[in-house]
Amino acid sequence: MMNAKALYYKRFRVAQKNNIKYFRLLFNDHFVLFLLIALGTFILGYRQLLTYDTISSFGKPCLWQVFIVLWLLLGLQIGSLMTYFKPADRLFLLSQDTNICHQYFKSALKVSVAVSATVQLIFVGLLVPILHQLYYESYDRIICLLAFLIVFKTFILVYERYKQLMISHSRMLMIFEPNSLIEKVLFRFLMPMVFIVLILIVPSSMVFICTAILLIIAIFMIYLFSISKSLSYRVAMNWQNAIKYERKRQQRIQSFYASFADVPNKETVIKQRPIINWLIQPLTKSSTVMYRLYMLRFIRTQELFPLIGRLAFVGGVLIYILKSAPLWLILVTSALFIYLVNFQFLPLYRSTQMNLWTRLIPVTDIQKERDFRKLARQLSIMTSLYFMICIVLGQNKLSDMALVGVSIILINIIINSIYLPFILKQVKRHK
């Protein structure tokens, strides 16, 4: 009989070794610079927030409660069931459904709950000074919030495990189908939002009673979707859903690492975006073949397009937050994010050139490089204009805005005229 528990922890150790390799790629110059700027911005903003009276200077208590609820809901979305299933398991573990359901999933749930509980602890810990100023009381409400979040996150993980089994709908809630929009809204947003609001608004004398009732409800939901030993003999694995779930989880992890490093052997997923295709069709109608190819690959790649969008959004938010910081820090932040956008755009050129059918296209390497640099230059200009809007919203002096504009133009010239040609030449040399 297969030892499913030993198999899981073996895969868990292999995954941690891979994470260590990714961390070595991750902690490069780009990520360290980003981490220093983001950490410095967070510390400055948080220190400024706690220097003043939270309620009177930064809004009414109800507005802070809305922020707390949204922040805690964000924390609940982080962390998923770590199963480490592989496509070949559908064949090689086909007759081991009982061991998988009872031993393998039990080990996966323990590890996933431990990681998720750490995440909830961090999210609640960052709110401790704000909660303390907002309520002027002991830490009872904070402890209740943390306990509820950990238990409710455990329910979410238990339910994710339950959906990977082939079970009739008699035990499922009949108001929705698994993985439907209603299910996600109900379990991931609506229910926890209502419960968190109740913990925040009840009087201090009732907070423990209210939390106890909510914990009982959450524990009952965990029991409802739990897998007992007797049930594990009567159910089968839904390998299609299980493998798809783990593949998406691995793609999210790799997408995070790819934000700051070139991850080797990263799986590429193509996604149709009809609205964006309709917008870019008139722009690329008279363009060259390679330019249209680069544009379509950029738009339809599920990892690259959202990744660059997130980088630009985070950069704009940081630049706006730094509006009271020294001007040189704003310029350094803008330059760093413009560089990161171009750095993350480079793998598109490498992956396109590695395709055999791309090499068969009757277009010279010079023309391919020229079209790629054209698209990269347009992307840099759009990102720079967005950053300049964020800077203008935070600056009042005309001289400062003019200096920032000139500096961003120089940054784009350096990146597109010196950095990109140098990197593309290195790519050709190692091709």
Side-chain angles (χ1 to χ4, degrees):
M1 182 180 293
M2 181 194 70
N3 191 338
K5 182 178 179 181
L7 175 63
Y8 177 80
Y9 283 109
K10 179 181 178 181
R11 291 184 173 182
F12 176 74
R13 289 191 293 269
V14 171
Q16 302 318 305
K17 290 181 181 179
N18 291 333
N19 285 332
I20 292 174
K21 295 179 182 178
Y22 286 142
F23 275 120
R24 291 174 181 171
L25 295 173
L26 182 63
F27 282 95
N28 50 32
D29 298 338
H30 321 95
F31 183 71
V32 171
L33 285 173
F34 171 80
L35 195 63
L36 289 174
I37 292 176
L39 185 61
T41 304
F42 173 78
I43 292 175
L44 287 174
Y46 207 71
R47 180 178 177 274
Q48 184 180 9
L49 175 67
L50 299 178
T51 301
Y52 304 97
D53 182 25
T54 304
I55 298 177
S56 61
S57 300
F58 292 93
K60 299 179 180 180
C62 60
L63 297 179
W64 276 108
Q65 289 174 346
V66 171
F67 168 76
I68 292 170
V69 171
L70 294 177
W71 175 257
L72 295 178
L73 285 177
L74 175 63
L76 278 176
Q77 312 311 311
I78 300 176
S80 54
L81 186 65
M82 299 183 290
T83 59
Y84 303 112
F85 285 132
K86 300 178 181 179
D89 292 344
R90 183 183 305 179
L91 175 63
F92 292 102
L93 300 180
L94 184 60
S95 61
Q96 301 292 330
D97 288 6
T98 300
N99 290 332
I100 295 296
C101 295
H102 182 60
Q103 298 180 5
Y104 194 94
F105 269 145
K106 186 176 181 180
S107 302
L109 188 61
K110 288 181 180 178
V111 174
S112 303
V113 169
V115 174
S116 298
T118 305
V119 173
Q120 304 310 314
L121 181 61
I122 293 173
F123 269 75
V124 175
L126 293 174
L127 290 178
V128 168
I130 298 175
L131 288 169
H132 187 66
Q133 287 195 35
L134 189 63
Y135 290 99
Y136 295 103
E137 59 184 29
S138 63
Y139 293 96
D140 295 346
R141 199 179 300 265
I142 300 173
I143 296 173
C144 291
L145 273 174
L146 179 61
F148 167 75
L149 290 172
I150 292 176
V151 174
F152 196 86
K153 184 63 180 181
T154 302
F155 158 69
I156 293 177
L157 296 175
V158 168
Y159 183 65
E160 292 296 335
R161 178 185 64 175
Y162 190 83
K163 290 192 298 183
Q164 298 182 22
L165 303 177
M166 297 183 67
I167 298 179
S168 63
H169 288 276
S170 59
R171 291 196 61 195
M172 301 289 290
L173 296 179
M174 298 304 296
I175 60 174
F176 55 78
E177 291 291 329
N179 298 316
S180 64
L181 179 61
I182 298 177
E183 174 218 75
K184 294 178 181 178
V185 172
L186 179 65
F187 282 166
R188 289 190 172 269
F189 296 99
L190 187 59
M191 288 182 63
M193 180 183 67
V194 172
F195 293 163
I196 292 171
V197 170
L198 286 175
I199 296 175
L200 291 176
I201 65 175
V202 295
S204 301
S205 59
M206 296 290 294
V207 66
F208 274 116
I209 299 176
C210 178
T211 305
I213 295 173
L214 297 180
L215 288 177
I216 291 173
I217 295 174
I219 292 172
F220 174 75
M221 294 168 66
I222 292 174
Y223 170 77
L224 184 64
F225 295 102
S226 62
I227 303 175
S228 62
K229 190 172 183 179
S230 60
L231 180 63
S232 64
Y233 289 100
R234 294 183 281 109
V235 298
M237 284 290 302
N238 189 337
W239 285 110
Q240 182 177 359
N241 289 346
I243 293 172
K244 183 180 179 180
Y245 178 87
E246 179 62 20
R247 178 177 294 177
K248 288 183 177 179
R249 192 185 72 85
Q250 293 292 340
Q251 288 174 354
R252 289 195 299 268
I253 295 174
Q254 291 183 353
S255 297
F256 170 74
Y257 289 127
S259 300
F260 305 96
D262 188 8
V263 178
N265 302 322
K266 185 175 181 294
E267 183 180 1
T268 302
V269 180
I270 302 299
K271 181 179 181 181
Q272 290 286 350
R273 306 181 193 276
I275 297 178
I276 300 179
N277 290 338
W278 178 77
L279 291 175
I280 67 172
Q281 187 175 4
L283 301 176
T284 59
K285 189 174 183 180
S286 59
S287 302
T288 61
V289 174
M290 289 305 302
Y291 179 84
R292 291 200 299 270
L293 177 62
Y294 289 132
M295 176 68 78
L296 289 176
R297 282 177 61 88
F298 170 62
I299 295 298
R300 293 179 178 177
T301 303
Q302 191 170 354
E303 292 84 11
L304 185 59
F305 183 74
L307 169 62
I308 291 181
R310 288 193 299 267
L311 274 176
F313 175 76
V314 172
V317 171
L318 284 177
I319 289 171
Y320 181 77
I321 292 175
L322 290 171
K323 58 184 178 180
S324 59
L327 190 61
W328 64 267
L329 183 58
I330 299 176
L331 292 176
V332 170
T333 306
S334 304
L336 173 62
F337 275 92
I338 293 173
Y339 167 71
L340 285 175
V341 167
N342 283 273
F343 176 79
Q344 295 304 325
F345 192 65
L346 281 172
L348 178 66
Y349 181 80
R350 299 191 187 100
S351 62
T352 305
Q353 295 302 106
M354 287 176 63
N355 290 329
L356 179 61
W357 64 270
T358 305
R359 300 178 186 177
L360 297 177
I361 297 177
V363 178
T364 62
D365 291 340
I366 297 176
Q367 183 62 41
K368 294 177 182 178
E369 180 181 339
R370 186 182 296 119
D371 291 335
F372 180 80
R373 288 178 59 186
K374 176 184 177 181
L375 183 58
R377 182 170 59 251
Q378 293 173 347
L379 183 63
S380 295
I381 293 173
M382 292 178 61
T383 306
S384 301
L385 290 175
Y386 166 65
F387 287 168
M388 287 191 66
I389 293 174
C390 296
I391 293 172
V392 168
L393 293 176
Q395 296 291 330
N396 296 321
K397 296 182 180 179
L398 185 61
S399 59
D400 291 346
M401 289 187 288
L403 179 60
V404 168
V406 173
S407 301
I408 289 181
I409 292 174
L410 291 176
I411 292 167
N412 278 281
I413 292 175
I414 293 173
I415 289 178
N416 290 281
S417 301
I418 300 177
Y419 172 73
L420 279 179
F422 174 76
I423 297 297
L424 294 180
K425 189 177 296 183
Q426 297 293 322
V427 173
K428 288 182 180 178
R429 187 175 301 174
H430 295 88
K431 185 169 64 173

